[in-house]
Amino acid sequence: MNFRPEDFRLALEEARRVIKAMRPDEVPHNLRRTRSSSSRRLTPIEAQALFRELERDAGFRQATLSGWDAARENRTDPRTAASVLFLERSEGWEFRARGHLAEVERQEALSDADGLRASLGEAQSEVRLLKSQLAEQRRLAEKGTRQRTDQLRRDLRRARERICQLERKVSEGSRESARWERETNAAWDELTEADRRYDELRRRYSSKTKPVPARSSPGTGGEVGFSRDPLEAARMLDQMVSFWEVGSDSQPERDETRPGLLELPPGVDPKSGGAMQWIYYEAPRLILVVDGWNAAHYWNSHRHVPGKPDPRTIEFITNKLDNLAEYSIGRHQVLFYLDSRHVSGLDPDWDNRFRSRRLTGFYVEDADDAIAREAAGRTGERVAVITSDNGLAERSRTHGAVILASEALAEWMASSPV
């Protein structure tokens, strides 16, 4: 029968103790390294050397067995009994040793089975615990999901109600705006018709009436009286009544029907975004003339974008200006000029694109000359020119236009509400 050194490890441990007790010259040559080893447990090489020496040397086996007191005390232990049979070498020892080793294997198997059963019990307990934790987590998750779902449904219902309210307000506002628009247009039509009739009546009475000498007042050397023109006479009476009611030292009221020239409020820097804020929130209706190439260049500079402005930049700026005109307090008119020699890739019909709203764009050979001509042609109207070109600014200023820098437009666009 084939045995292995680990089958008789107890005998090998006892043999190692025996050779360590011998004098160095008594130790077999092939066991001297084992005697000098300081390891607490036998290494596989040392166990193999001791096993071969015990197999070969009966005296060594007898010396090991005679000094092994634990063997006599623990003969019931299968490992010890197998090791004793290995050292005694009595008749039929191999079969009896194999029986003891089988018992050792059986006990180890039983021990392993007990350990596995204990591990299985622990694992089952852990599984039950995890299942209970999973069920609790699932319950909490479902509860939280239901709560969040209910909250979202409530929020959605409130949002829908708010949207319906806003839609009703927008609808009412649209109807109100349309009504005011109609009334405003009707008022302008009536005013236009009144001006036309006034001019017509004035021409008619001026051509038919002749001057009539007026009665002289005592102490005066000239003639005093009313015009035969009834409109002129009515105006004269209104002025006299106003003079008597207010007093001769009062200043005449400002005629608000005429636009007049545009002026920035005191302290507003034309290079700051505050100037554009004033245009958007407070300025009366005006004509905003924009140097498009200059504005696009300063918008890129404001964003630290290198290179020339592209069509997308132009489109962004025109959209911003269109919204400014549409939603500003004065609902201004915007004229956007581009040098055709500087910009490429835009639609050739671009100048008609925004005419349905309040912005009109123009391709021109020289935008500076076109803007200066525009300012000159609108003398007496409220005109604001956006440019940082000093030459163009000076030319436009001579025609009464207010100058805002392109830096102000860029700063406003960076945080505009539209």
Side-chain angles (χ1 to χ4, degrees):
M1 295 182 182
N2 294 327
F3 295 101
R4 299 170 301 172
E6 55 267 22
D7 294 335
F8 310 112
R9 177 164 291 276
L10 296 178
L12 300 181
E13 292 286 350
E14 184 62 23
R16 182 191 186 198
R17 188 186 63 78
V18 170
I19 63 172
K20 283 186 174 291
M22 293 181 180
R23 295 197 307 271
D25 58 339
E26 295 178 348
V27 178
H29 179 75
N30 57 344
L31 297 179
R32 290 179 180 177
R33 181 174 296 179
T34 302
R35 182 181 184 279
S36 61
S37 175
S38 60
S39 61
R40 299 183 62 182
R41 294 180 59 85
L42 282 172
T43 64
I45 296 176
E46 293 173 349
Q48 188 66 31
L50 285 170
F51 182 75
R52 286 198 301 266
E53 187 64 26
L54 288 172
E55 282 277 352
R56 185 182 61 81
D57 190 347
F60 186 32
R61 290 197 303 271
Q62 187 60 38
T64 301
L65 182 60
S66 61
W68 192 8
D69 296 333
R72 292 186 290 273
E73 298 173 359
N74 299 321
R75 283 185 176 271
T76 57
D77 178 41
R79 290 181 179 275
T80 305
S83 295
V84 170
L85 290 171
F86 171 69
L87 295 175
E88 289 178 345
R89 297 297 178 97
S90 58
E91 185 177 358
W93 73 272
E94 293 94 340
F95 293 101
R96 285 181 290 163
R98 178 59 62 189
H100 290 303
L101 293 175
E103 179 64 20
V104 170
E105 293 176 358
R106 188 183 70 82
Q107 291 178 358
E108 290 178 350
L110 291 175
S111 177
D112 292 342
D114 292 338
L116 289 174
R117 279 193 292 271
S119 299
L120 179 60
E122 293 176 358
Q124 290 174 343
S125 300
E126 187 174 0
V127 167
R128 287 192 296 270
L129 177 61
L130 291 175
K131 284 183 177 180
S132 63
Q133 292 177 352
L134 177 61
E136 180 65 17
Q137 292 294 330
R138 181 177 294 146
R139 186 186 64 80
L140 294 176
E142 290 176 352
K143 180 180 178 182
T145 302
R146 285 195 300 270
Q147 292 176 350
R148 288 191 295 271
T149 301
D150 294 340
Q151 182 64 36
L152 288 175
R153 287 175 178 169
R154 290 192 294 270
D155 293 344
L156 181 60
R157 185 171 58 255
R158 286 196 296 269
R160 286 175 176 171
E161 293 173 355
R162 181 59 177 165
I163 288 172
C164 292
Q165 294 175 0
L166 292 176
E167 287 177 346
R168 286 195 295 270
K169 289 183 179 180
V170 169
S171 179
E172 294 173 358
S174 299
R175 289 194 297 271
E176 187 72 12
S177 176
R179 184 176 68 83
W180 282 110
E181 188 73 21
R182 288 193 300 270
E183 292 184 3
T184 302
N185 293 334
W188 279 109
D189 293 341
E190 291 176 0
L191 181 60
T192 303
E193 180 65 18
D195 288 341
R196 186 189 65 77
R197 293 179 63 186
Y198 166 75
D199 293 338
E200 182 182 353
L201 289 173
R202 184 170 186 175
R203 285 194 303 270
R204 183 185 304 173
Y205 280 98
S206 296
S207 63
K208 291 183 178 180
T209 57
K210 295 181 180 180
V212 177
R215 290 179 299 175
S216 300
S217 299
T220 62
E223 296 179 347
V224 178
F226 292 112
S227 171
R228 294 292 300 275
D229 187 342
L231 295 176
E232 291 293 335
R235 288 186 177 180
M236 217 177 205
L237 288 172
D238 289 341
Q239 291 176 1
M240 292 173 65
V241 171
S242 175
F243 178 81
W244 291 332
E245 289 181 351
V246 178
S248 60
D249 58 344
S250 64
Q251 296 294 329
E253 294 184 0
R254 182 178 178 183
D255 186 2
E256 296 296 338
T257 61
R258 297 175 58 84
L261 297 179
L262 184 68
E263 294 182 359
L264 285 174
V268 175
D269 185 2
K271 293 185 178 181
S272 70
M276 290 302 302
Q277 294 279 4
W278 179 78
I279 291 289
Y280 181 75
Y281 286 110
E282 302 179 31
R285 183 174 300 184
L286 55 86
I287 299 168
L288 194 63
V289 186
V290 183
D291 185 355
W293 178 255
N294 188 271
H297 173 77
Y298 275 90
W299 174 238
N300 276 3
S301 176
H302 183 82
R303 296 181 301 152
H304 306 289
V305 175
K308 295 182 179 180
D310 55 12
R312 294 179 60 184
T313 303
I314 300 297
E315 182 179 2
F316 172 81
I317 296 175
T318 53
N319 284 336
K320 284 288 186 182
L321 290 170
D322 196 18
N323 289 334
L324 179 144
E326 183 71 18
Y327 302 112
S328 61
I329 187 68
R331 289 177 57 85
H332 314 307
Q333 179 184 357
V334 180
L335 305 179
F336 192 82
Y337 284 88
L338 280 176
D339 291 294
S340 58
R341 66 179 184 274
H342 288 317
V343 182
S344 61
L346 295 177
D347 186 350
D349 295 330
W350 178 83
D351 58 336
N352 296 323
R353 178 179 300 177
F354 296 108
R355 287 197 176 174
S356 62
R357 298 180 69 182
R358 307 194 66 81
L359 184 146
T360 306
F362 300 97
Y363 271 132
V364 291
E365 291 293 332
D366 192 320
D368 291 359
D369 290 344
I371 292 173
R373 286 195 301 270
E374 187 72 43
R378 297 182 180 273
T379 302
E381 299 183 53
R382 299 188 185 102
V383 179
V385 176
I386 296 181
T387 183
S388 291
D389 186 325
N390 292 331
L392 175 58
E394 188 61 31
R395 293 171 64 185
S396 302
R397 195 178 286 111
T398 59
H399 298 297
V402 169
I403 307 302
L404 279 73
S406 295
E407 298 97 310
L409 175 62
E411 184 177 339
W412 178 82
M413 289 192 299
S415 59
S416 67
V418 293

